[in-house]
Amino acid sequence: MARIPQQLKDLWKTVVPSDRLLILMKPDPDALSSAWALKRLMSGKVQSSQIAHVGEIVRLENRAMVQILKIRSERFDKIDVSLFSKVALVDGQPDQFENHPIPAPSIVIDHHPAVKPFEAEFADVRPNIGATATIMTEYLYRGKIKIPRPLATALCFGIKTDTGGLTRSISRKDVNAYAHLLPLANMTHLRQMEHEQFSRSDLELIGRAIPQIQVRKKFLFVFLDGPVPPDSLVILADTFIGLEKVSVVAVGGTYRNRVVVIFRGKGPRVNVGLIARRAFDLIGSAGGHKMAARAEIRSVELPEELDIADLEGIRSWVKRTIQSNMGPRKSNK
Ligand SMILES: [Mn+2]
């Protein structure tokens, strides 16, 4: 690559040397690594930069990543926004932070489809790319900026996580970025982060859930008693989708006056996002992709005859509602 590409020049033009840059994201491996890469890209271009995460670092893969690679990220709600002169957003767009009022960003770099238009001095949104980490790798590479080993490891992990281990939403550019990063990355750390999948308390929860599992044909259903944080439901769903011949998993529980159901799918012709929406979108909120989805129903949205404290009632209603929406898509022809 002969010269610095225009896009990178434009990115650098959005900042001045006296800037204190705040880099925001919702923490997942792609977002964390992208934020770290932007910090690297901006070193020498701004006076200082700080990474901050909106929401909490709960998922084990994120905790492992931050600890193993020593990524320094502050909680956004502990940040004094007035100390910063500019804000950048990575792996997300302003409208995805509705619940957390964030300052208007000058820089947005993302790979999600644009939902609502937004204003930013610099925006690079490429929905055809599998991970923001790929876009960031391209900037570093084309800017001839050395990628330190921990950052290369983080970016590899980001690309792998967002593309399901390079199996979904993957583009040529993701493969190229990954191939470029691989020799620079620390494989021991990469494996370590990938293998750390649940905590001891999650293990107890898995033990509690196993006797309650119901499998009917390709559908595995479990609804836990007692409040369970949604992040733990995610870990259960990710674990149980590994069972042979099962192609749809729904793991439900109640948490803070809501019913939460996490869906996972595998195999051809499976679309759990569609099942979730058909089952619950008119009642509560539901959405997702073919392989991963989630539904949330607040207690006030439940059918009148159901009370959130009536575990048996909720459990059978959730199961029934899912099963009656699992059939093949009705043809319009
Ligand atoms: Mn992403």
Side-chain angles (χ1 to χ4, degrees):
M1 215 60 60
R3 55 191 188 88
I4 306 293
Q6 189 57 42
Q7 212 169 13
L8 182 54
K9 287 184 189 164
D10 291 343
L11 173 62
W12 280 334
K13 257 188 244 160
T14 57
V15 294
V16 292
S18 62
D19 269 333
R20 293 159 175 273
L21 180 67
L22 178 62
I23 304 170
L24 292 178
M25 43 87 204
K26 283 189 183 173
D28 71 25
D30 187 31
L32 281 160
S33 65
S34 297
W36 209 12
L38 184 61
K39 189 178 165 71
R40 173 83 182 143
L41 269 172
M42 288 298 187
S43 86
K45 306 285 174 190
V46 293
Q47 194 193 107
S48 66
S49 59
Q50 164 79 57
I51 301 171
H53 52 274
V54 179
E56 281 178 72
I57 297 188
V58 194
R59 294 284 305 270
L60 215 66
E61 56 185 9
N62 301 331
R63 288 208 312 251
M65 183 182 184
V66 168
Q67 280 161 16
I68 292 167
L69 301 178
K70 301 188 172 67
I71 303 174
R72 287 169 58 195
S73 178
E74 285 287 327
R75 275 177 64 150
F76 173 64
D77 51 15
K78 295 203 171 141
I79 291 273
D80 180 355
V81 176
S82 70
L83 295 176
F84 297 90
S85 57
K86 283 210 176 85
V87 172
L89 203 59
V90 293
D91 199 38
Q93 290 164 43
D95 70 275
Q96 289 160 338
F97 292 79
E98 279 159 347
N99 300 331
H100 301 264
I102 59 161
S106 309
I107 298 166
V108 176
I109 304 176
D110 186 27
H111 70 124
H112 295 92
V115 184
K116 273 188 212 158
F118 59 88
E119 294 271 330
E121 208 177 316
F122 180 91
D124 183 0
V125 176
R126 295 188 238 169
N128 53 333
I129 304 280
T132 305
T134 296
I135 301 174
M136 301 314 296
T137 304
E138 199 181 85
Y139 278 121
L140 289 162
Y141 173 69
R142 301 184 70 189
K144 299 193 185 72
I145 295 161
K146 187 173 180 284
I147 305 178
R149 191 164 292 271
L151 176 57
T153 312
L155 290 164
C156 273
F157 193 43
I159 295 173
K160 273 189 104 170
T161 314
D162 260 33
T163 59
L166 310 179
T167 62
R168 60 175 147 82
S169 346
I170 188 138
S171 71
R172 184 80 230 170
K173 283 189 186 248
D174 296 297
V175 179
N176 289 347
Y178 194 77
H180 176 68
L181 293 165
L182 212 50
L184 307 173
N186 181 323
M187 288 300 119
T188 309
H189 284 167
L190 194 57
R191 271 195 304 273
Q192 198 181 348
M193 294 187 297
E194 280 178 331
H195 286 166
E196 226 150 278
Q197 285 170 351
F198 42 79
S199 67
R200 276 176 185 238
S201 64
D202 294 325
L203 189 65
E204 274 166 38
L205 198 64
I206 292 169
R208 237 174 73 199
I210 285 172
Q212 302 181 53
I213 285 177
Q214 303 173 30
V215 184
R216 185 165 165 257
K217 292 182 184 165
K218 295 176 174 192
F219 176 47
L220 184 153
F221 176 77
V222 60
F223 196 96
L224 283 116
D225 40 1
V228 184
D231 283 304
S232 298
L233 298 178
V234 167
I235 287 165
L236 292 180
D238 282 340
T239 305
F240 297 149
I241 192 65
L243 184 64
E244 66 167 346
K245 293 187 178 126
V246 160
S247 58
V248 175
V249 164
V251 178
T254 55
Y255 192 66
R256 290 189 182 153
N257 244 0
R258 293 175 284 162
V259 173
V260 181
V261 188
I262 304 293
F263 295 85
R264 287 294 180 269
K266 73 171 188 265
R269 294 183 300 278
V270 170
N271 188 340
V272 292
L274 188 71
I275 297 172
R277 281 192 298 276
R278 285 193 343 195
F280 298 111
D281 206 23
L282 293 174
I283 307 164
S285 68
H289 323 279
K290 280 184 176 172
M291 301 304 163
R294 131 189 222 141
E296 293 201 11
I297 306 104
R298 289 180 295 142
S299 59
V300 292
E301 295 167 329
L302 287 168
E304 242 173 73
E305 68 279 10
L306 275 178
D307 186 279
I308 193 143
D310 168 19
L311 181 75
E312 273 316 311
I314 299 272
R315 177 183 280 143
S316 67
W317 171 73
V318 169
K319 189 181 174 194
R320 252 191 349 260
T321 310
I322 296 169
Q323 279 179 327
S324 59
N325 286 286
M326 277 182 60
R329 211 186 305 204
K330 298 211 171 53
S331 169
N332 292 324
K333 278 174 211 162

